[in-house]
């Protein structure tokens, strides 16, 4: 990267290679007023300036309303650099760095701009702080090189080679090697810079001071030895440089044989080991350095490399590779989570972990898990309450999900509880009011979003437990439960939690009072029945016999009412399901019948040839134009048309057959969080699931804890029913075979009417009911329209008992009322 400078006279950026792609505004030369081009050049410059001012105004307005717009910050800084407004540029960079980390190239631009404009010793500390901020945020070899060069050139103590300056420079070089010395592809640049610095000190040492010169030679030799033990590119070149340097120091080495001849055994051994390590990693380095791949492929290559380094067991090398990956993918939450998890597992405590977490939440502020781990890292490092509270307040300003916010609050409360119950030696004991205040803030926030949810229940249950056990305040604990019941009064678990607390404390009367308050409430699913049975069980275990009898007296009518309601609801749903299936069948037939005949030429021709002719006979029908003939299916004698009934069954869709074959299971006591996929997974070992119908409340849309599951055949249904009383999501399911005829309107009308309805295939308006009764040896048959008033155990006049009809006689015609009247008069 070529150096960029800001000209103090013209205050414009001059650069041979601008990292941000800026096109700097060149300096304007002195112009002759009489020049013919002066007016046009001036007009062009004024136009460019006006356009940039307009862009600045637009970006300023955008950043004022949306300060989190990263691209707007970058464009804003770019334009200000072009117009060279250094004060405004500082403010813009600081504003951006408050929200986002800056890239290494941005820090280099910032430091060089400040160095080109600032003069004097006062400017050096400010620029040095910029470099410190830059190397903290991302790993960059070039930024470290710029930092080292800046200190060597501008720090007076280092430039003059004073003992303090030399010590400062050496400490900075060691920090650079700790941060990036293990970088396989670029780390050698830092080693070479370190050697050159020490070589410059050797050259400046007085030739007569042999002790100092020998000491300096040993320093340089040590740096060579350290570098040769680290795998990096061009290792052979480093080895040859070392041998050449030893020759300069008067050491005779055998250069005619192998590269390692003449080198001490421990250096040669370290070099061989480093070379083997490099050869094992060279293919992985090539994969992450390729430019012809997508970001996802490159990230995957980094993860493969990390997996290899972790298997090698060197934490320093693993951390180095994580830093390289983070520089390439700074906003990958997966990478930051993996990095911090590795540090938590290997280092546990220390400023290194805290620093990494601070960078992680700055790059990925919308990842709640990172904030939670960040709080825990501060606590492990025994940070002050003020520091932890500041991190917590900062996390609440980020955009997180409700679950992440809840986890943050609970993590914060966990830390406060630990510090109060187990105070750290040397720290002041915290007041319990901090916990209560945090709970109150959380409750006010989540009550409007998490009503009737397990999250809100968990928060208040935790709060009540701490009020009772940590603060020893029973009334406060009861107040917490009462406040929850005002919000979640229809939530069974809230009542159960409150009752459990009272029962565990031995407060039987208070627990019984709660049962009396809630047993008549309506809870989702089978909750209403559950609370009734729970009350009975409570009285059996804690109450007297009179208490138990009183509970039974109150609970029994409620259970009967609930049982009746469930039965009615199941019948209604079954009927609706059958009606829906029949409607689907009718709609399907209608769609087929509505197809125009012109799409079927053969059918149209057949219909034309079979068109009935107009007749005037007694039994003929008169057809109007466009009217279709309907074939009437009449039963022969007393037997139904079995062939036609079989055809009708074959036409019924599969969903309708499920009801007819009764291959449906009714499932109750389902967890309200369960969905179709949970049920399908539950019955996966049984197999044969055709459809799942989870029932929901028609007003709230929430699950009712009931479902119908259709199976392909009876064998699968039997296997499903065998799973009765098994657990799903913490609740014991009740599974039974569903009876689709239960609750039908035809139920209770008598077997005769159902049999007649099932065997009749024609329209009811053209068929007579044909009940038959067998009583003793009598064979009574009733026919005709006017025989409804005849007693069932009396033969009609004109009918003979037990007299079979012959084919010649045919069926006897029923007599009308007039005929009966005449018969009585004649008699």
């Amino acid at each position: 990267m070529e150096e960029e400078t800001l000209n103090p006279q013209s205050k414009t950026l001059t650069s041979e290679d601008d990292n941000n792609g800026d096109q700097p505004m060149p300096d304007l030369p002195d112009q002759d007023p009489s020049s013919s081009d002066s007016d046009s050049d001036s007009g062009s410059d004024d136009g460019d300036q006006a356009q940039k001012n307009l862009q600045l105004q637009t970006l300023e307005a955008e950043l004022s309303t949306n300060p989190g717009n990263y691209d707007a910050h970058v464009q804003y800084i770019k334009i200000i650099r072009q117009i060279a407004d250094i004060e405004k540029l500082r403010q813009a960079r600081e504003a951006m760095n408050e929200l986002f980390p800056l890239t290494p190239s941005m820090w280099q631009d910032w430091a060089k701009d400040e160095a080109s404009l600032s003069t004097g010793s006062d400017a050096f500390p400010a620029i040095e702080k910029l470099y410190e901020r830059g190397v903290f945020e991302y790993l960059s070899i070039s930024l470290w090189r710029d930092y080292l060069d800046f200190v060597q050139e501008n720090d007076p103590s280092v430039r003059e080679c004073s003992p303090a300056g030399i010590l400062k420079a050496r400490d900075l070089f060691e920090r650079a090697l700790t941060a990036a010395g293990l970088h396989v592809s670029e780390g050698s640049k830092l080693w070479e810079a370190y050697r050159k610095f020490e070589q410059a000190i050797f050259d400046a040492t007085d030739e007569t001071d042999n002790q100092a010169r020998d000491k300096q030679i040993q320093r340089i030799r040590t740096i060579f030895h350290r570098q040769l033990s680290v795998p990096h590119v061009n290792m052979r070149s480093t080895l040859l440089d070392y041998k050449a340097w030893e020759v300069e120091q008067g050491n005779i080495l055998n250069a005619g044989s192998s590269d390692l001849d003449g080198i001490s055994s421990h250096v040669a051994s370290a070099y061989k080991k480093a070379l083997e390590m490099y050869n094992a990693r060279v293919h992985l380095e090539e994969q992450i350095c390729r430019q012809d791949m997508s970001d996802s492929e490159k990230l995957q290559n980094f993860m493969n490399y990390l997996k290899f380094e972790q298997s090698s067991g060197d934490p320093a090398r693993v951390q180095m590779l994580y830093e390289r990956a983070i520089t390439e993918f700074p906003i990958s939450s997966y990478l930051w989570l993996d990095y911090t998890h590795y540090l938590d597992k290997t280092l546990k405590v220390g400023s290194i972990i805290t620093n990494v977490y601070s960078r992680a939440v700055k790059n990925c502020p919308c990842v709640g898990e990172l904030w939670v781990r960040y709080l825990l890292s501060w606590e492990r490092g025994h940070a002050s309450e003020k520091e932890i509270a500041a991190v917590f307040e900062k996390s609440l300003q980020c955009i997180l999900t409700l679950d992440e916010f809840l986890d943050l609050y609970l993590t914060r409360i966990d830390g406060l509880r630990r510090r109060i119950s187990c105070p750290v030696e040397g720290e002041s004991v915290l007041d319990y009011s901090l916990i209560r205040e945090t709970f109150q803030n959380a409750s006010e926030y989540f009550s409007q979003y998490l009503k009737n949810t397990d999250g809100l229940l968990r928060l208040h249950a935790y709060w009540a437990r701490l009020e009772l056990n940590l603060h020893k305040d029973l009334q406060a604990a009861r107040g917490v439960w009462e406040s929850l019941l005002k919000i979640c009064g229809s939530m069974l678990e809230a009542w159960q939690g409150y009752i459990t607390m009272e029962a565990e404390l031995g407060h039987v009367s208070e627990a019984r009072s709660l049962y009396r308050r809630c047993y008549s409430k309506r809870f989702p699913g089978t909750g209403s029945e559950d609370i009734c049975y729970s009350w009975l069980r409570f009285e059996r275990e804690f109450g007297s016999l009179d208490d138990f009898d009183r509970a039974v007296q109150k609970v029994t009518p409620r259970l009967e009412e609930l049982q009746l309601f469930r039965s009615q609801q199941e019948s209604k749903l079954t009927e609706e399901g059958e009606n829906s299936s029949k409607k689907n069948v009718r709609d399907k037939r209608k769609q087929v019948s509505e197809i125009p005949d012109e799409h079927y030429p053969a059918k149209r021709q057949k219909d034309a040839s079979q068109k009935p002719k107009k007749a005037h006979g007694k039994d003929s029908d008169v057809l109007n134009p466009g009217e279709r003939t309907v074939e009437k299916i009449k039963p022969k004698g007393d037997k139904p048309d079995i062939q036609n009934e079989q055809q009708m069954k074959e036409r019924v869709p599969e969903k309708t057959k499920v009801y007819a074959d009764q291959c449906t299971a009714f499932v109750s006591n389902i967890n309200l969080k369960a969905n179709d996929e949970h049920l399908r997974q539950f019955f996966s070992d049984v197999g044969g699931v055709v459809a799942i119908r989870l029932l929901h409340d028609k007003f709230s849309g929430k699950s009712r804890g009931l479902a119908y599951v259709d199976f392909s055949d009876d064998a699968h249904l039997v296997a499903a029913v065998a799973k009765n009383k098994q657990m799903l999501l913490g609740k014991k399911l009740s599974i039974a075979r569903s009876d689709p005829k239960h609750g039908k309107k035809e139920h209770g009308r008598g077997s005769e009417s159902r049999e007649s309805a099932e065997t009749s295939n024609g329209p009811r308006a053209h068929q007579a009911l044909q009940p038959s009764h067998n009583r003793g040896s009598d064979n009574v048959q009733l026919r005709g329209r006017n025989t409804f008033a005849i007693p069932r155990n009396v033969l009609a006049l004109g009918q003979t008992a037990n007299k079979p009809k012959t084919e010649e006689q045919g069926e006897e015609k029923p007599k009308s009322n007039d005929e009966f009247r005449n018969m009585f008069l004649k008699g």
Side-chain angles (χ1 to χ4, degrees):
M1 183 186 67
E2 299 295 335
E3 184 176 354
E4 299 173 352
T5 59
L6 198 63
N7 190 323
Q9 287 77 22
S10 64
K11 298 250 181 118
T12 58
L13 182 68
T14 58
S15 172
E16 294 182 11
D17 181 17
D18 189 353
N19 291 322
N20 292 327
D22 298 341
Q23 294 298 327
M25 184 174 66
D27 295 339
L28 296 178
D30 295 335
Q31 301 200 9
D32 187 350
S34 62
S35 174
S36 60
D37 297 334
S38 61
D39 294 339
S40 60
D41 292 342
S42 177
S44 176
D45 293 340
D46 292 341
D48 292 342
Q49 188 66 28
Q51 182 179 3
K52 291 176 181 177
N53 291 334
L54 180 61
Q55 291 177 348
L56 285 177
Q57 294 176 1
T58 303
L59 291 171
E60 287 172 353
E62 169 64 20
L63 292 175
S64 64
T65 58
N66 185 14
N69 190 334
Y70 182 89
D71 294 333
H73 280 285
V74 174
Q75 288 297 322
Y76 188 53
I77 293 173
K78 176 180 177 181
I79 296 176
I80 295 178
R81 290 192 75 222
Q82 292 177 355
I83 64 177
D85 189 342
I86 188 62
E87 289 298 329
K88 205 169 188 178
L89 185 58
R90 287 191 187 119
Q91 296 175 4
R93 282 166 166 162
E94 291 289 355
M96 182 177 181
N97 193 228
E98 281 290 326
L99 301 174
F100 306 103
L102 304 184
T103 63
S105 62
M106 289 181 178
W107 286 110
Q108 288 173 304
D109 292 341
W110 192 351
K112 290 178 180 179
D113 290 347
E114 295 289 346
S116 63
L117 289 174
S118 304
T119 57
S121 59
D122 296 340
F124 176 80
I127 300 173
E128 189 177 28
K129 288 181 180 179
L130 290 178
Y131 276 115
E132 284 290 339
R133 291 166 62 183
V135 296
F136 172 78
E137 292 191 338
Y138 294 117
L139 175 66
S140 173
I141 301 295
S142 61
L143 185 58
W144 271 109
R145 287 290 306 274
D146 288 352
Y147 185 14
L148 293 168
D149 293 342
F150 172 77
V151 171
Q152 293 179 74
E153 295 172 2
N154 296 278
D155 191 324
S157 61
V158 177
R159 189 170 59 244
E160 295 171 2
C161 293
S162 66
I166 293 175
L167 181 60
K168 176 181 179 179
R170 283 172 178 164
D171 290 342
L172 188 61
F173 271 111
E174 290 295 336
R175 283 180 56 202
L177 291 177
T178 301
L182 297 178
H183 198 298
V184 176
S185 59
E186 299 184 22
S188 58
K189 297 178 182 179
L190 297 177
W191 291 101
E192 293 171 2
Y194 197 3
R195 293 203 319 266
K196 289 181 180 179
F197 171 75
E198 296 292 351
Q199 185 66 42
I201 295 175
F202 173 79
D203 295 338
T205 304
D206 189 358
E207 295 182 358
T208 60
D209 192 352
N210 294 328
Q211 183 178 358
R213 292 175 68 85
D214 291 343
K215 189 175 182 179
Q216 193 62 24
I217 288 174
Q218 188 58 37
R219 286 184 182 277
I220 299 173
R221 181 178 289 114
T222 301
I223 295 175
F224 264 119
H225 291 174
R226 289 171 61 189
Q227 183 180 0
L228 290 173
S229 64
V230 175
H232 62 271
V233 296
N234 301 324
M235 291 191 64
R236 185 173 183 277
S237 176
T238 303
L239 178 63
L240 296 179
D241 290 342
Y242 169 59
K243 294 178 69 174
W245 180 82
E246 287 287 4
V247 171
E248 291 178 0
Q249 308 311 315
N251 298 323
I252 301 176
L253 300 178
N254 186 3
S257 57
S258 66
D259 294 338
L260 297 178
D261 287 345
I263 299 178
S264 60
S265 59
H266 72 278
V267 175
S269 175
Y271 175 81
K272 290 180 180 179
K273 183 177 179 181
L275 187 60
E276 291 177 359
M277 294 174 63
Y278 173 75
N279 291 332
R281 290 163 174 79
V282 62
H283 69 286
L284 296 170
E285 285 287 334
E286 292 174 353
Q287 290 295 323
I288 64 174
C289 294
R290 287 175 52 192
Q291 302 297 326
D292 58 338
M293 66 176 68
S294 63
D295 289 342
S296 59
E297 293 175 334
K298 191 170 186 179
L299 179 59
Q300 184 59 49
N301 290 336
F302 265 110
M303 299 310 297
N304 295 336
Y305 198 171
L306 284 166
K307 187 176 180 180
F308 172 81
E309 288 291 2
Q310 290 174 2
S311 64
S312 300
D314 188 348
R317 300 197 65 83
V318 176
Q319 187 179 358
M320 162 61 58
L321 190 56
Y322 269 119
E323 291 292 343
R324 292 176 64 183
I326 288 298
T327 304
E328 293 285 341
F329 303 97
I331 59 174
S332 172
S333 59
Y334 170 79
L335 192 56
W336 281 110
L337 288 170
D338 196 58
Y339 185 14
T340 52
H341 177 72
Y342 174 79
L343 293 179
D344 287 335
K345 183 175 62 176
T346 55
L347 300 182
K348 296 293 184 183
V349 295
S351 61
I352 294 178
I353 297 180
T354 305
N355 292 338
V356 171
Y357 271 116
S358 66
R359 294 159 52 207
V361 296
K362 197 169 185 179
N363 283 274
C364 302
C366 298
V367 181
E369 187 177 353
L370 287 175
W371 285 105
V372 169
R373 293 186 185 179
Y374 191 17
L375 287 173
L376 294 175
S377 69
W378 277 103
E379 186 179 355
R380 293 190 186 100
H382 304 291
S384 65
E385 168 59 23
K386 184 177 180 180
E387 291 174 319
I388 297 177
V391 173
F392 176 67
E393 291 298 329
K394 191 174 182 180
S395 68
L396 298 181
Q397 306 302 320
C398 300
I399 302 175
L400 305 174
T401 64
L402 289 174
D403 290 339
E404 289 174 328
F405 272 127
L406 180 60
D407 198 14
L408 268 175
Y409 269 104
L410 294 176
T411 302
R412 169 65 171 154
I413 294 168
D414 293 342
L416 292 173
R417 176 189 59 79
R418 284 188 286 264
R419 291 202 166 198
I420 293 176
S421 59
C422 304
V424 180
E425 184 178 356
E427 295 183 0
S428 59
V429 180
L430 300 179
D431 187 40
Y432 180 80
S433 61
L434 284 174
I435 291 183
R436 182 174 292 171
E437 181 182 357
T438 306
F439 269 122
Q440 288 174 346
N441 294 334
S443 178
E444 292 175 2
Y445 177 76
F446 292 112
S447 294
Q448 53 185 332
Y449 301 112
L450 299 180
K451 185 177 180 180
N452 294 327
T453 60
D454 292 338
L456 194 61
L457 172 63
R458 177 186 176 190
L459 180 70
H460 284 78
Y462 190 11
W463 186 3
R465 186 167 63 254
L466 292 186
E467 292 284 0
L468 181 64
N469 299 330
L470 189 60
H471 196 49
K472 309 300 181 182
D473 191 342
L474 176 59
Q475 295 303 321
R478 286 173 175 167
V480 172
W481 282 113
E482 291 293 342
S483 64
L484 177 63
L485 293 181
K486 292 179 181 179
I487 304 170
C488 307
S490 61
M491 190 175 184
L492 175 63
E493 292 81 359
W495 289 95
Q496 289 176 331
Y498 193 2
I499 293 171
T500 300
M501 183 192 77
E502 296 288 2
E504 290 177 350
L505 293 174
H507 300 159
V508 177
S509 299
E510 287 76 4
R512 182 178 296 116
S513 176
L514 291 173
Y515 274 119
R516 289 172 179 170
R517 288 170 57 185
C518 69
Y519 84 97
S520 60
K521 288 184 175 294
R522 180 180 179 183
F523 297 107
T526 59
S528 300
E529 292 91 335
D530 293 343
I531 198 65
C532 292
Y533 291 124
S534 177
W535 187 6
L536 296 178
R537 185 167 56 253
F538 169 81
E539 295 297 353
R540 290 181 60 183
E541 297 175 359
F542 296 94
S544 64
L545 182 58
D546 292 338
D547 294 328
F548 179 77
D549 291 340
R550 283 192 290 269
V552 171
Q553 185 178 3
K554 286 185 174 295
V555 165
T556 301
R558 176 60 174 164
L559 289 174
E560 293 175 353
E561 177 187 355
L562 292 171
Q563 185 177 4
L564 178 61
F565 175 77
R566 300 291 182 197
S567 177
Q568 292 174 350
Q569 290 296 108
E570 183 179 352
S571 301
K572 181 178 178 182
L573 291 172
T574 304
E575 182 179 351
E576 290 177 355
E578 292 182 346
N579 293 337
S580 176
S581 300
K582 293 177 180 179
K583 182 179 179 182
N584 293 336
V585 174
R586 290 196 300 268
D587 293 343
K588 184 175 180 181
R589 292 175 178 174
K590 184 177 180 181
Q591 292 174 2
V592 175
S593 63
E594 288 178 353
I595 300 177
D597 289 344
E598 52 267 20
H599 293 294
Y600 303 95
K603 180 179 178 181
R604 185 174 64 250
Q605 183 178 0
K606 180 180 179 181
D607 291 342
S609 62
Q610 296 180 356
K611 185 176 181 180
K613 297 181 180 180
K614 187 173 181 180
H616 301 279
K618 184 177 182 180
D619 297 329
S620 62
D621 296 330
V622 180
L623 298 180
N624 296 326
E627 188 175 37
R628 295 184 180 181
T629 60
V630 180
E631 182 181 358
K632 300 180 181 179
I633 305 175
K634 298 182 179 180
K636 297 181 180 179
D638 294 335
K639 297 182 180 180
D641 191 347
I642 300 178
Q643 182 178 3
N644 181 66
E645 182 178 359
Q646 182 65 25
Q647 293 174 356
M648 293 296 293
K649 285 186 177 181
E650 293 177 355
R651 296 178 185 177
V652 177
E654 289 297 327
K655 291 185 178 180
T656 307
K657 288 184 178 181
V658 171
Y659 295 99
D661 297 338
Q662 299 184 16
C663 294
T664 302
F666 178 70
V667 186
S668 60
N669 198 33
I670 303 173
N671 191 308
L672 301 184
K673 292 184 178 180
N675 53 30
D676 293 359
E677 190 60 31
H678 289 120
L679 290 173
R680 193 176 299 276
Q681 185 67 25
F682 178 79
F683 290 111
S684 60
D685 56 338
V686 174
V689 176
V690 176
I692 297 176
R693 291 164 286 161
L694 193 62
L695 310 185
H696 297 82
D697 189 277
K698 64 179 180 180
F699 298 106
S700 64
K702 296 182 179 180
S703 173
R704 297 179 53 197
L706 307 172
Y708 286 97
V709 183
D710 302 331
F711 293 89
S712 58
D713 52 44
D714 191 69
H716 289 94
L717 177 59
V718 172
V721 174
K723 299 191 67 175
N724 185 34
K725 301 302 180 182
Q726 292 189 16
M727 302 295 291
L728 174 63
L729 299 181
K731 298 200 72 173
K732 189 178 295 184
L733 297 185
S734 177
I735 309 172
R737 181 189 292 269
S738 176
D739 185 6
K741 293 183 180 181
H742 180 69
K744 289 184 180 180
K745 292 182 179 180
E746 293 82 6
H747 183 70
R749 291 183 181 178
S751 59
E752 297 84 7
S753 60
R754 286 197 300 270
E755 182 180 358
S756 176
E758 292 175 359
T759 55
S760 59
N761 294 316
R764 292 184 179 180
H766 300 282
Q767 294 182 7
L769 294 175
Q770 302 176 12
S772 61
H773 296 268
N774 294 326
R775 189 169 186 175
S777 59
D778 297 335
N779 184 8
V780 181
Q781 296 181 350
L782 302 180
R783 296 180 180 276
R785 298 182 180 179
N786 299 318
T787 59
F788 64 89
I790 301 175
R792 297 299 182 185
N793 57 352
V794 179
L795 292 177
L797 293 177
Q799 295 184 356
T800 304
N802 300 327
K803 182 179 180 180
K805 296 185 290 293
T806 61
E807 294 181 0
E808 291 79 4
Q809 290 175 330
E811 293 184 355
E812 183 179 358
K813 183 178 179 181
K815 294 178 173 55
S816 65
N817 289 341
D818 294 337
E819 292 174 334
F820 278 120
R821 189 177 297 109
N822 294 332
M823 291 175 63
F824 280 115
L825 292 176
K826 291 180 180 180

